[in-house]
Amino acid sequence: MMDKKTKPESGQSASGLTTTRKLLFARVSDLARSPVRWWLVLPVAVLAVFMLWLQLMPCRHPLEDVSFSRVIRDNKGGLMRLSLSKDQKYRVYTRLADIPPEAVDAVLRYEDRYYWQHPGVNALALARAGFGFLTGKRLMGGSTITMQVARLAYGLETGKIGAKLRQMLLAVQLEWNFSKEDILEAYFNLAPYGGNVEGLGAASIVYFHKAPAELTPGESMALMLVPQNPVQRRPAEDNPHFTAALHRLDASWHGRKEHAPLRVYGVNALPFLSPHLSTELLQQTHEGNQLRTTIDPASQKKIERHLRLFTARQQSYGLTNGAALLLHWPSMEVRALVGSANFFSDGIMGQMDGTRARRSPGSALKPFIYALALDQGLIHPLTLLVDTPRNFSGYDPENYDGTFRGPIGAAYALRTSRNVPAIALAARLKNPNFYTFLKSAGVDFLSDENHYGLSLVLGGAEVTMRELAGLYAMLANKGVWRPLRMLHAQGRQDTALPLLSPEAAFVTLSMLEDGNPDHQVRSQRGSVLPLRLKTGTSNGFRDAWAAGFVGPYVLVVWLGNFDNRPNPLLVGAISAVPFFTQIARELAATEPMQDHFAHPTHGLNVEYIEVCAATGDLDTSLCADTAKTWFIPGVSPLAPSGVFRSILIDKVTGLRACMPQQGRTEVQTWEFWPTELAQMFARAGMPKPEPPSFMPECERKEIVAGNPPRIVQPKDGLVYRLSLSNKAHENVAFIAHAEAGVKNLHWFVNGSYLGSRAPGQILLWKAVPGDAKVRVVDDAGRAAQKRVRVRVVE
């Protein structure tokens, strides 16, 4: 519909009065000043009544109830999509000011050369047309442009005398109420141009893929011919009526017998670019009918081509669909959005938009666990984390490869997507925890926090590609989350939420860089850019993700099936990463790019320090190998791991001494690994020698330093069911691990001694109904305890 603010006030023009009003008022004034003649009374009265009728009769603007097409353009102004109006027409609202004056003059010269002088009806033209009708010679049409607007705007059938008279009255009424400019603008928006194309704006787009202001004189001339006979003169290169009329006009105006050939398109050749986004925008309500998106046409075509070729090559393996989103993180503008491999394929449900679909992200959210842990002072990139079998309130997570790697650095744990370290960190997060953080960053969860628990770490909650892109852009934008922008009309004064510190965001980005040459691209300038990316694989092999950074872009890709069919190749590292790197290489090769995260920005509170390579400890005095890492002063942890310790050794016995004795004892450095890690080292063929035992005279009170035992069984949060009919279910297993050097662990239930076992060995307890306090004490007096709930089942 026409915007109300474009409708002029009734009876007004640029000069205050319409042309018709000026003419009629002048005529009445002349008659009033002339001497009284009785034969003039009747004409004056009729004219006065006619003017009163014009003044009192309501007259709506000719474009008031007209619906218009919506035009969607890319960020370069190119046409992406032209929709039909509500009445199934291609009709684009075009202001008169946007039409070249040369085109306006040509139309007036051809259609109505006295337009600016007549009051809506040209008596001379009507007489000439009538004479032609009586003699059988059509010299020229009698309808003025205003009469044509009346016919088009009010849906008149003008084949009969009565209808023609009504058309003439309405034309005068239009001229009485609206300016010549308003009426001419209405003509250029309503004139028929063949088929369901109406108005010069739509005609220039449909037939020449241009805006009216971009038309050449030849193209303007070609369109000028159509409204007089839109059925026969519909623009087409193979339409002889159109080309013949064009040649006749060219000969009469320019004296040429042939017109230069024109490249004419048709409705079927209208662009249909970025179909998922353009379809989405057409379903929404926006102010105005001209929508300019942030889509870069070159990037859109590149990614569409890559997805089409990638799925075509993998089709025999069952990989037939995917999606991708390219986000310019400095502006948060979406530069490319590909919702499926083929929009028109019913076999892959191609009209579904993979960038809006809620899918399991697998491990693609893990970088934000580590970012929060950095901010909360739990880790730095080389902090020692433990990847061993663990139980979290009855949940026993495993890794994708089915193995555990023991003690590893935090950055390595993130890059290799180890599950247990990530879950252990997530369990320690507070204010905010992981769920609250994601919710603040725009993730629209379908359930509350209790529904997901720690499974959220491994993709237990579904997210959209757009939400994921916004999260990764937050890392690039120094921890500030902002919504994605898809239209230029969306202002830059949008929501900006600082959810991470700039330091944590920078360090997280550095942790994603793995130095793998396969994860590097060469920019147009020849420099090497690392691809900082993270993969994700959903449970059951239904989704393969890769999300990361390419210069000024966040790129997120997904491979999978909208019907949730699994495929063993739907693994992030196997399928999504090659697809990601293919796109990244072409983007980098065709644009000048730089590595925005190689160095911290000025004023960032980070330091590049030396730590112990094996443990991440800041004290390197006992460590043979060191490494450098980023450190956030005042935030990153300072507490040592306790693995490397200096102990007194009796030179004679080789045992640990309690007190130094000159010449008898010496200080040695030993590694103190918990028993479960020592067992993993042994299984890997790298046994760690246990520290020597204490000398007999050493008292326990002097040797209580170190970590207490860690109870593995019984598990937290579980209720053990005791079956009275099945004696085999009466026993509950107790297992615990301890510090290096611990020989025995002593178990107690409700204060009663149960027995002892070596670390890692099983002790069975004959369970009894009720709640019990389980306590374990190592041979150095260090203790840990848990509560066990036992219930009877029939």
Side-chain angles (χ1 to χ4, degrees), residues 341-421:
N342 185 348
F343 182 84
F344 301 100
S345 172
D346 293 334
I348 62 170
M349 294 184 281
Q351 294 191 23
M352 288 187 64
D353 186 350
T355 72
R356 300 169 69 188
R358 308 202 72 83
R359 310 288 305 186
S360 167
S363 297
L365 293 176
K366 283 180 181 173
F368 306 99
I369 296 171
Y370 288 81
L372 288 170
L374 287 165
D375 246 351
Q376 296 182 19
L378 303 179
I379 60 168
H380 59 68
L382 292 183
T383 295
L384 189 66
L385 301 179
V386 177
D387 182 27
T388 58
R390 291 278 303 272
N391 175 266
F392 299 90
S393 300
Y395 177 42
D396 297 295
E398 295 183 350
N399 292 305
Y400 162 74
D401 58 8
T403 66
F404 296 92
R405 300 187 183 180
I408 52 178
Y412 179 82
L414 170 59
R415 291 194 298 269
T416 56
S417 208
R418 311 311 290 176
N419 289 336
V420 171

Side-chain angles (χ1 to χ4, degrees), residues 9-290:
E9 295 295 330
S10 295
Q12 298 297 311
S13 69
S15 59
L17 293 173
T18 67
T19 302
T20 300
R21 289 190 183 194
K22 289 180 180 179
L23 290 172
L24 291 177
F25 280 133
R27 185 59 182 154
V28 171
S29 178
D30 290 343
L31 291 173
R33 288 195 297 267
S34 64
V36 177
R37 298 183 179 90
W38 292 106
W39 62 270
L40 290 176
V41 172
L42 183 60
V44 170
V46 170
L47 188 58
V49 171
F50 183 57
M51 291 174 62
L52 183 63
W53 177 82
L54 291 174
Q55 182 67 34
L56 296 178
M57 285 298 292
C59 182
R60 62 177 172 84
H61 192 280
L63 296 181
E64 184 175 319
D65 294 329
V66 177
S67 63
F68 289 94
S69 301
R70 300 176 76 181
V71 184
I72 301 178
R73 299 187 180 277
D74 58 40
N75 67 353
K76 301 292 191 297
L79 181 66
M80 289 172 51
R81 183 93 170 261
L82 179 66
S83 75
L84 290 166
S85 62
K86 292 180 180 178
D87 56 349
Q88 301 302 298
K89 305 285 187 181
Y90 288 108
R91 186 191 298 118
V92 177
Y93 175 67
T94 307
R95 300 183 309 160
L96 185 62
D98 294 331
I99 300 174
E102 298 80 8
V104 175
D105 292 341
V107 168
L108 293 180
R109 178 182 172 187
Y110 186 74
E111 290 278 359
D112 189 355
R113 65 180 60 193
Y114 297 107
Y115 175 76
W116 298 107
Q117 287 76 39
H118 64 65
V121 177
N122 188 336
L124 181 61
L126 286 172
R128 186 169 58 245
F131 176 76
F133 176 76
L134 293 174
T135 60
K137 297 180 180 180
R138 189 179 186 279
L139 302 176
M140 184 174 289
S143 294
T144 63
I145 281 182
T146 311
M147 291 173 65
Q148 294 182 55
V149 169
R151 176 176 57 83
L152 295 168
Y154 306 124
L156 303 180
E157 293 291 339
T158 58
K160 297 181 179 180
I161 296 297
K164 198 69 175 179
L165 290 174
R166 184 174 178 232
Q167 180 187 15
M168 294 166 62
L169 283 173
L170 287 173
V172 175
Q173 189 181 22
L174 283 174
E175 294 267 0
W176 176 269
N177 285 280
F178 304 104
S179 70
K180 287 283 189 180
E181 291 80 5
D182 295 329
I183 297 168
L184 191 57
E185 182 175 279
Y187 172 80
F188 279 112
N189 281 279
L190 296 174
Y193 284 88
N196 62 342
V197 180
E198 292 188 359
L200 182 64
S204 61
I205 290 175
V206 171
Y207 298 123
F208 297 110
H209 290 185
K210 294 180 179 180
E214 299 171 333
L215 292 173
T216 66
E219 292 164 344
S220 295
M221 183 185 299
L223 292 178
M224 179 183 65
L225 295 165
V226 182
Q228 279 197 355
N229 194 341
V231 175
Q232 285 195 345
R233 295 180 183 176
R234 182 173 183 172
E237 294 176 359
D238 58 353
N239 183 355
H241 299 287
F242 168 70
T243 53
L246 189 58
H247 292 158
R248 287 194 302 270
L249 181 65
D250 204 26
S252 63
W253 281 25
H254 303 108
R256 294 192 297 256
K257 294 183 178 180
E258 296 291 336
H259 189 280
L262 296 174
R263 178 68 174 95
V264 182
Y265 301 90
V267 170
N268 293 334
L270 279 172
F272 192 73
L273 305 179
S274 190
H276 294 92
L277 177 59
S278 59
T279 300
E280 176 185 352
L281 293 175
L282 290 177
Q283 293 170 348
Q284 298 172 351
T285 301
H286 294 277
E287 184 177 350
N289 292 313
Q290 298 276 345

Side-chain angles (χ1 to χ4, degrees), residues 348-627:
I348 62 170
M349 294 184 281
Q351 294 191 23
M352 288 187 64
D353 186 350
T355 72
R356 300 169 69 188
R358 308 202 72 83
R359 310 288 305 186
S360 167
S363 297
L365 293 176
K366 283 180 181 173
F368 306 99
I369 296 171
Y370 288 81
L372 288 170
L374 287 165
D375 246 351
Q376 296 182 19
L378 303 179
I379 60 168
H380 59 68
L382 292 183
T383 295
L384 189 66
L385 301 179
V386 177
D387 182 27
T388 58
R390 291 278 303 272
N391 175 266
F392 299 90
S393 300
Y395 177 42
D396 297 295
E398 295 183 350
N399 292 305
Y400 162 74
D401 58 8
T403 66
F404 296 92
R405 300 187 183 180
I408 52 178
Y412 179 82
L414 170 59
R415 291 194 298 269
T416 56
S417 208
R418 311 311 290 176
N419 289 336
V420 171
I423 294 174
L425 279 178
R428 298 169 61 192
L429 296 176
K430 298 178 180 177
N431 301 322
N433 62 16
F434 194 37
Y435 177 90
T436 304
F437 167 81
L438 293 176
K439 195 172 182 65
S440 300
V443 176
D444 187 13
F445 289 108
L446 301 179
S447 302
D448 60 21
E449 182 176 357
N450 294 329
H451 174 80
Y452 301 109
L454 291 175
S455 69
L456 187 62
V457 177
L458 308 182
E462 296 174 333
V463 302
T464 70
M465 180 178 285
R466 300 182 187 187
E467 292 169 346
L468 199 58
L471 285 165
Y472 276 76
M474 175 175 54
L475 294 177
N477 285 313
K478 300 181 180 180
V480 177
W481 179 88
R482 304 204 314 267
L484 277 61
R485 297 177 60 233
M486 298 183 190
L487 292 174
H488 275 287
Q490 293 170 328
R492 294 178 181 271
Q493 304 300 319
D494 47 25
T495 306
L497 299 176
L499 300 180
L500 293 171
S501 70
E503 291 79 10
F506 169 77
V507 176
T508 302
L509 287 167
S510 73
M511 293 169 67
L512 290 173
E513 185 178 351
D514 60 7
N516 184 347
D518 292 336
H519 295 167
Q520 296 175 349
V521 295
R522 190 168 296 277
S523 74
Q524 189 184 58
R525 296 172 177 171
S527 59
V528 174
L529 297 177
L531 299 179
R532 298 173 178 86
L533 60 90
K534 184 70 189 72
T535 60
T537 304
S538 66
N539 187 36
F541 304 104
R542 291 176 170 82
D543 306 90
W545 295 86
F549 305 87
V550 189
Y553 298 113
V554 167
L555 174 62
V556 184
V557 302
W558 168 84
L559 296 171
N561 298 296
F562 290 142
D563 62 0
N564 279 335
R565 278 182 294 113
N567 188 315
L569 293 180
L570 287 175
V571 177
I574 294 176
S575 300
V577 169
F579 179 41
F580 182 101
T581 53
Q582 287 176 14
I583 297 173
R585 286 194 179 99
E586 183 169 359
L587 289 173
T590 54
E591 295 184 34
M593 292 185 181
Q594 62 178 350
D595 185 0
H596 296 269
F597 317 118
H599 306 287
T601 56
H602 179 71
L604 212 59
N605 179 35
V606 292
E607 295 180 6
Y608 201 52
I609 65 170
E610 192 171 53
V611 298
C612 179
T615 64
D617 291 341
L618 274 64
D619 181 4
T620 60
S621 60
L622 304 179
C623 189
D625 299 316
T626 62

